[in-house]
Every structure is written in structure tokens, then in C-alpha cells.
Amino acid sequence: MSNFHLVDCQGWEYDLQSVYAAYMGYFQLNGIPWQVEMYERSWGHLFNTFEDFLSFSWPVITATDAYTGRAHILTRMTSIGAFVKMIKTRFGDTLPLVDNVVKVHPFETHQRHLRTISDYPSYKKLHATLRGVCLSAFKARIRFGEPRAIQELWDLRDKSFLAIDFESSERNAAAVLEWGYAAVRCGHLESLGTWPPIPDDNYRKGHYIVSEYVDKSRNKYNPTFPWQFGESQVVSKVHLPQIIQAVISSLASPDSETQSNSLVLLTHSATEDLRRFEEMKIKLPHNLLIIDVTVYESCLFKTGLLGAMLDAKTGLPRQPNSLLSLRSILHSLHVPLDFVLHNSGNDAFACLLAFQMLVDPKNTQAPPPRTKPPSIALNSGIIHPSVPLISPMLAPSAMPAIPRSLSAPQVPHLDIQESLAIPHRSPSFPNRLSMVDTYATNASPGTPDEEGRIIDVPDALSREFARATIG
């Protein structure tokens, strides 16, 4: 294998081994006794074996098919033409350009390494890298929210899905107030014969509050609320990264260059959450798959799998590239929102629930409203006993109590700037009502959107706030 340089993927469409197979099929189809006459021809030695066929010195790249996801060693039509021309020039015979070659549409858009293959050991060495090429492309397809790839991932029933969320201070973006997660081990449930996962019963949930900020930090625009799925744990900011690392390592498989990890990370703000992991020096496997639920939902809408949707603000059809907030996704899925968002544990549960309802809408049912809600007198600063500390962060006074016995249409909108949309039920998603709230596109400058991001801010301090993920 000779030295290589970078080339664009455009034009590299033909699987190299399939070129040889196509010519062998052409000889067979046209009744050429290839073991007698063909090898007696002056150019017949080039088709003795695939190794002899490679002696032409083929320029190749490695890429994956955009539809199948399989990795291939690809060459160009110009190279095939050069091979045919060589036979005519050197041996005086004319071979046709066969049309039954495997044609690939490369998924990769960036430049690829160009190599020249002239013998079978070089081809074998390059072929051994295809599994790594396939994994790299698969990670990108999952990250881009490709519906087919994510659906195949869910249908395997052997992955663990971990949804996470951070809540940060509006005054100091580096200060993490709390962290929550929700996880489901599909492989374990499948072995027990429990499928699909039941959110209330099969989700592992956790919520951790940073003790240093319990009585010292309170968000004004998006205050944090009590966790409503169990006992919150108060830990120091020094121990929080260790806890997060332990949760991840309990679900992840060993790192690999050729096989995806058993753990799939779910988030509704991937860039911010990954940056937070990096700041905390949390190690993530290189073969980890990451799904941004908001991006995935947007891709489902663009491909027409969610049906028609209207913008709740303008009443016009939703734009194809628009992203919905987590709250809007839950509303569009007709989930009875009987818990409050802007708590990291609640948000993580909502993220995992929204993902399951998007990827498996026919078999997943939203959890029923809880009939016996805990009494939360938020206006008086008293919280449910399951939350160990009473503080402004745990019990903000601005939050009205929500009866959990209300059905989904009766649950009031907590964000007064949200408006209702005309729902249209999607034929492919029976649990989904098509309604959109694109708050971020209509927010006034300097005002935080419902995910806590401040846009068009004039001062440097607010620009720091704008980079924080609150919710």
C-alpha cells in the first residue's frame, strides 16, 4: 500500500471487489469458457484470481453506504475505464464497461484517504479497517438523528439508554446545582421477557443536589424544582463527578475501535452536556453512541414520520429544520405532564420517555397521571419530605402547585408565554398530537427561552449565562 493523500468522496462509488465479480459474471453470462479460452487470451491472467486483478494498481478509498451503513472499498468509474483502456492498448481486445457493479452512495462528506492497492495483502490490510470505518459512520448517523439508524439501534434490544441532565446557576455557568439521570437496560429486560420497557417500573432514576449551592444559589428565570420520582441525594461538588462516572461505568461496555458501546447516551442539549462532562474530566468511551432527542425529533418531522404540525405562535406550518424544546416535544406526544421540568432528574426522565415514545410509538404508552400527588406547598417554601433539604433552590415560591389527578389537557402551562396550537393527530404516531411551540424564535432580546438560554444579550456576564444549559 503506497502513500496516500486526501480526496473528495464524490465520484468514488463502485465497490472494488464487485468490479471483479461483475466481469466474472459477464464472462459466464456470455458463455465464455473462462477456464479454457479466457485464460488463453493475452489478458486472461488478469482474471485468474482477485489477487491478479488487483495487480492493475487500483486507486481506492474507504467509505460507508448512506442507506445500508455498510463499509466498502471504493474505486471510480474513471479507474475502471482506465483498466479497460489498458487491455485494449496492450492486448488489442475490447472489454465492455459492465453495469452490474455494486454502486454505493457514500455517507461521508469530508475528504477521505486515497490509497493504491496492487496486491492482495494490501487489500486484506485495508479490508480489516472497514469495521472501524463502519463504526465511525454509525456514530455520526446516530448523532445526526438519522431515524433509520436509531430505529435499528432500538430494535436490537441489547443496549442501555442513559438520559442525563444538568442544572446550572444563571449567575455562574460553571456552577452545577444538580444532576439527574434516567436509564433503561434493554438487554436485561429482553432476557426477562419484559418488552417494551414500562417507564414507571423499568426506568432506573437518580437525582443529586450539590450541597455547596443548596442555600446559596437560586435561579431567577428558570428556578429548579423538587424531584418527583424518589429521594434526592445531597453530595459535594467534589464527589459529583465520581458519582456520574460510576453511573456511566455501570452501564457501559469496554471501549472498542470496531464495535459500538452497549451504552447509548441521551440528552436534549448534547453540546452543553458533553462540554460539562469534559469540564468535570469524566471519561466517556470512544465508541459511545450519543442521541440528541431534539435533533432526532426534528429529523423524524423532516422525513414526514410525524405528520403535519403547526407553529403554536404563528399558526403557520412548522419549518422543516426547527428544533422543539423538551417541553414542546412532550406536549406534541400528548404526555400528561404531571411533573415539573427544570429539575435535572425530572428532565432526564422526560428525555428518556420522549425518546421511547418517538422510537416506539405503537408499543409505548405514556405513564398515567399519578392519582395521589405529594403535597407540595411551594408558595410557603415547604416541600415534600422526600427532598431532604429546604432551600430556595429546592422550593421556589413562584411555582404554583399542580394537581396530579388532572388529565393531560387540564394540566396548565407553567410558562405563561406558551400558547396552544391546533393539534392534528399523526397517522404514524398514534400517541402524538402535532403541536409546536417555537419559543426561541419569538423571544425578546435579553430574555431567557424556556430552556434557560439568554439570546442577544449585551453584556459579557449575560453572554456567559447564554452558554449555560438550564433545563
Side-chain angles (χ1 to χ4, degrees):
M1 189 182 302
S2 61
N3 293 331
F4 55 84
H5 61 277
L6 298 177
V7 295
D8 293 328
C9 288
Q10 185 176 3
W12 299 83
E13 300 176 323
Y14 300 94
D15 183 89
L16 179 58
Q17 189 171 20
S18 74
V19 176
Y20 174 72
Y23 275 110
M24 296 301 292
Y26 168 78
F27 299 143
Q28 182 71 37
L29 183 63
N30 288 273
I32 300 177
W34 56 277
Q35 288 186 332
V36 181
E37 295 185 9
M38 190 186 73
Y39 292 154
E40 292 177 354
R41 298 172 187 263
S42 55
W43 45 265
H45 66 280
L46 295 174
F47 294 94
N48 283 339
T49 62
F50 180 52
E51 183 174 3
D52 293 325
F53 180 75
L54 295 176
S55 64
F56 174 68
S57 296
W58 293 87
V60 297
I61 65 170
T62 56
T64 55
D65 190 291
Y67 181 74
T68 65
R70 299 189 184 97
H72 297 266
I73 298 176
L74 302 176
T75 189
R76 298 175 296 179
M77 178 56 72
T78 54
S79 299
I80 301 175
F83 175 75
V84 172
K85 184 178 179 180
M86 179 271 294
I87 290 180
K88 183 176 181 180
T89 302
R90 292 178 57 184
F91 306 107
D93 286 342
T94 301
L95 288 180
L97 292 173
V98 290
D99 56 359
N100 57 337
V101 181
V102 174
K103 189 174 182 180
V104 173
H105 298 281
F107 167 79
E108 292 80 1
T109 57
H110 55 279
Q111 291 184 322
R112 307 292 292 173
H113 291 160
L114 174 65
R115 299 169 171 89
T116 300
I117 299 295
S118 58
D119 54 62
Y120 192 74
S122 298
Y123 179 86
K124 184 178 179 180
K125 183 178 180 180
L126 183 59
H127 191 274
T129 67
L130 291 185
R131 295 186 64 182
V133 173
C134 187
L135 174 60
S136 179
F138 187 64
K139 288 172 56 180
R141 293 169 65 199
I142 295 295
R143 186 70 180 272
F144 294 156
E146 183 179 308
R148 187 169 183 263
I150 293 178
Q151 188 65 54
E152 292 175 354
L153 189 68
W154 176 261
D155 291 341
L156 292 174
R157 300 186 182 184
D158 63 354
K159 301 293 185 182
S160 296
F161 293 86
L162 172 66
I164 56 97
D165 185 62
F166 290 94
E167 293 289 337
S168 302
S169 171
E170 291 172 349
R171 294 183 176 274
N172 180 10
V176 175
L177 306 182
E178 56 183 72
W179 178 77
Y181 78 92
V184 58
R185 296 185 296 162
C186 295
H188 176 65
L189 295 179
E190 174 69 7
S191 65
L192 297 177
T194 303
W195 193 265
I198 302 173
D200 279 340
D201 298 336
N202 301 135
Y203 286 5
R204 178 196 297 179
K205 302 173 285 289
H207 181 238
Y208 299 89
I209 301 170
V210 178
S211 59
E212 285 83 349
Y213 304 112
V214 167
D215 298 309
K216 298 179 182 179
S217 179
R218 176 176 176 180
N219 288 337
K220 175 181 178 182
Y221 295 106
N222 289 291
T224 56
F225 298 106
W227 187 41
Q228 297 179 226
F229 295 96
E231 295 281 347
S232 297
Q233 300 185 44
V234 180
V235 299
S236 68
K237 62 181 179 181
V238 176
H239 292 152
L240 182 61
Q242 301 174 8
I243 294 173
I244 297 175
Q245 188 71 69
V247 171
I248 293 174
S249 60
S250 70
L251 300 171
S253 60
D255 208 341
S256 172
E257 295 182 355
T258 59
Q259 186 176 3
S260 62
N261 203 282
S262 62
L263 175 62
V264 180
L265 187 68
L266 299 178
T267 175
H268 60 283
S269 181
T271 302
E272 296 295 333
D273 290 338
L274 292 177
R275 180 178 61 84
R276 189 71 66 189
F277 279 150
E278 185 177 355
E279 291 173 353
M280 291 183 170
K281 294 180 171 38
I282 295 173
K283 297 179 181 179
L284 298 177
H286 294 91
N287 61 343
L288 180 70
L289 302 176
I290 302 173
I291 299 176
D292 191 318
V293 174
T294 62
V295 175
Y296 175 48
E297 192 274 345
S298 179
C299 289
L300 288 172
F301 173 71
K302 284 190 293 185
T303 54
L305 296 176
L306 300 185
M309 302 180 72
L310 297 178
D311 190 316
K313 296 293 184 181
T314 65
L316 299 176
R318 177 185 173 186
Q319 296 300 315
N321 294 323
S322 60
L323 292 178
L324 300 187
S325 65
L326 180 60
R327 182 190 300 275
S328 296
I329 293 176
L330 293 171
H331 285 328
S332 69
L333 291 168
H334 205 211
V335 175
L337 198 60
D338 61 341
F339 53 89
V340 186
L341 298 181
H342 295 301
N343 170 282
S344 58
N346 296 345
D347 285 3
F349 179 88
C351 183
L352 182 55
L353 173 62
F355 169 75
Q356 184 177 342
M357 296 189 70
L358 287 170
V359 76
D360 193 5
K362 294 182 179 180
N363 299 318
T364 303
Q365 296 296 327
R370 293 162 178 79
T371 57
K372 294 182 179 180
S375 57
I376 304 177
L378 292 174
N379 288 332
S380 61
I382 301 175
I383 64 173
H384 187 255
S386 63
V387 183
L389 293 180
I390 299 176
S391 70
M393 185 184 75
L394 296 178
S397 60
M399 172 59 197
I402 299 178
R404 291 199 175 199
S405 60
L406 294 178
S407 60
Q410 294 174 310
V411 176
H413 290 277
L414 302 180
D415 189 344
I416 61 174
Q417 301 196 41
E418 288 188 356
S419 59
L420 295 177
I422 302 175
H424 298 274
R425 195 169 296 276
S426 170
S428 57
F429 280 66
N431 292 325
R432 185 180 185 90
L433 290 181
S434 300
M435 49 194 298
V436 182
D437 176 18
T438 52
Y439 170 78
T441 60
N442 298 278
S444 58
T447 306
D449 62 13
E450 68 169 24
E451 296 302 326
R453 302 178 184 87
I454 303 176
I455 60 175
D456 298 331
V457 287
D459 58 286
L461 181 59
S462 296
R463 282 194 295 271
E464 291 296 324
F465 296 165
R467 286 193 289 268
T469 301
I470 314 298

